[in-house]
Amino acid sequence: SKIEKLQMPFFMCAGNHDITNVPMSDEWKRKFGRSYYHFKYHNVLFLVLNTEEKPAPGKLPYYISPKQRDWAAGVLAKNKDVRWTFVILHKPTWTYPNADPKFCGWTGIENALTGRRYTVFAGHKHQYQRSVIRGQEHYMLATTGGASNLSGMQNGRFDHFVWVTMKDNGPVIANLLLDGVVGKNIGPAPRRPARKKKTVKKRKK
């Protein structure tokens, strides 16, 4: 009912609270169709991915299946001449140092994006962060309406939505807060957590 009031198209990106298990995945497909898709608008490509595909066995922070990777690579290959590409996904795949990005599917997507201008948007962790990876901007959005202690811009924890204006030389990013508008360079600098050291247990003699 809220979406119906909008005077523009509304495009959804599946997250972990939408697709947590097989029944929820089936329900998403019944209601909305595919959980990943693309479209073009004014010669800008929008690539919407699903990070919630579940492999078996084992638990992973995110997973993009080989089928989805191949599909994304095909879409990118067919749209080489677009002005810009926006990649939209729920989990910020680049923030999991203990995950294998190749097995989880992100490396294949990154490699397929090579040679083009693009911007990546994700959420999930409820903390704003701007990173530059492979020369391209990656944004992890803050709470955008979800749970947060709202401890402030210095911690990247605030309630906002992002206004993107597409210019000839690329997108202009502005964060619209309840009490004002701020630019893109806010929040703490990205820090990659150290990998956990493996411990070897010695057998007792």
Side-chain angles (χ1 to χ4, degrees), residues 95-167:
T95 65
Y96 296 94
N98 294 319
D100 181 351
K102 185 175 181 180
F103 179 79
C104 292
W106 181 237
T107 299
I109 301 294
E110 278 190 311
N111 291 341
L113 287 163
T114 301
R116 68 173 60 222
R117 299 187 299 173
Y118 63 92
T119 305
V120 184
F121 288 103
H124 184 64
K125 293 190 174 183
H126 298 205
Q127 183 177 23
Y128 186 94
Q129 192 175 90
R130 172 183 174 268
S131 304
V132 178
I133 303 169
R134 297 192 179 192
Q136 308 298 320
E137 291 181 321
H138 292 54
Y139 290 93
M140 185 171 71
L141 305 183
T143 182
T144 62
S148 174
N149 61 14
L150 300 178
S151 57
M153 288 187 290
Q154 70 278 9
N155 299 316
R157 298 189 183 278
F158 47 86
D159 212 349
H160 74 130
F161 65 93
V162 179
W163 187 283
V164 182
T165 304
M166 192 64 205
K167 299 288 188 178

Side-chain angles (χ1 to χ4, degrees), residues 3-202:
I3 293 172
E4 287 176 353
K5 297 176 183 178
L6 298 176
Q7 297 180 7
M8 73 286 284
F10 184 86
F11 298 93
M12 291 175 286
C13 178
N16 58 302
H17 290 286
D18 303 301
I19 300 178
T20 308
N21 50 47
V22 173
M24 291 176 73
S25 178
D26 292 340
E27 186 66 7
W28 176 281
K29 292 175 184 176
R30 185 186 71 81
K31 286 184 175 181
F32 309 120
R34 293 182 66 170
S35 60
Y36 53 89
Y37 58 94
H38 77 284
F39 61 93
K40 283 201 301 184
Y41 183 69
H42 287 279
N43 200 32
V44 174
L45 176 66
F46 292 81
L47 191 69
V48 183
L49 303 178
N50 175 13
T51 57
E52 306 310 307
E53 294 182 301
K54 302 296 180 184
K59 292 184 177 180
L60 298 172
Y62 67 91
Y63 189 70
I64 301 170
S65 68
K67 181 180 179 181
Q68 185 179 175
R69 300 172 216 172
D70 292 343
W71 165 84
V75 169
L76 292 167
K78 292 177 183 177
N79 294 276
K80 292 181 179 179
D81 299 326
V82 294
R83 333 164 32 202
W84 205 270
T85 299
F86 288 106
V87 182
I88 300 167
L89 64 170
H90 181 66
K91 287 181 178 173
T93 52
W94 60 94
T95 65
Y96 296 94
N98 294 319
D100 181 351
K102 185 175 181 180
F103 179 79
C104 292
W106 181 237
T107 299
I109 301 294
E110 278 190 311
N111 291 341
L113 287 163
T114 301
R116 68 173 60 222
R117 299 187 299 173
Y118 63 92
T119 305
V120 184
F121 288 103
H124 184 64
K125 293 190 174 183
H126 298 205
Q127 183 177 23
Y128 186 94
Q129 192 175 90
R130 172 183 174 268
S131 304
V132 178
I133 303 169
R134 297 192 179 192
Q136 308 298 320
E137 291 181 321
H138 292 54
Y139 290 93
M140 185 171 71
L141 305 183
T143 182
T144 62
S148 174
N149 61 14
L150 300 178
S151 57
M153 288 187 290
Q154 70 278 9
N155 299 316
R157 298 189 183 278
F158 47 86
D159 212 349
H160 74 130
F161 65 93
V162 179
W163 187 283
V164 182
T165 304
M166 192 64 205
K167 299 288 188 178
D168 291 338
N169 59 346
V172 176
I173 311 295
N175 287 280
L176 278 64
L177 280 64
L178 294 180
D179 56 353
V181 180
V182 296
K184 64 184 181 181
N185 293 314
I186 53 178
R191 291 188 298 175
R192 294 181 181 274
R195 289 182 180 271
K196 293 181 180 178
K197 293 182 179 179
K198 293 183 179 179
T199 57
V200 179
K201 292 183 179 180
K202 294 182 179 180

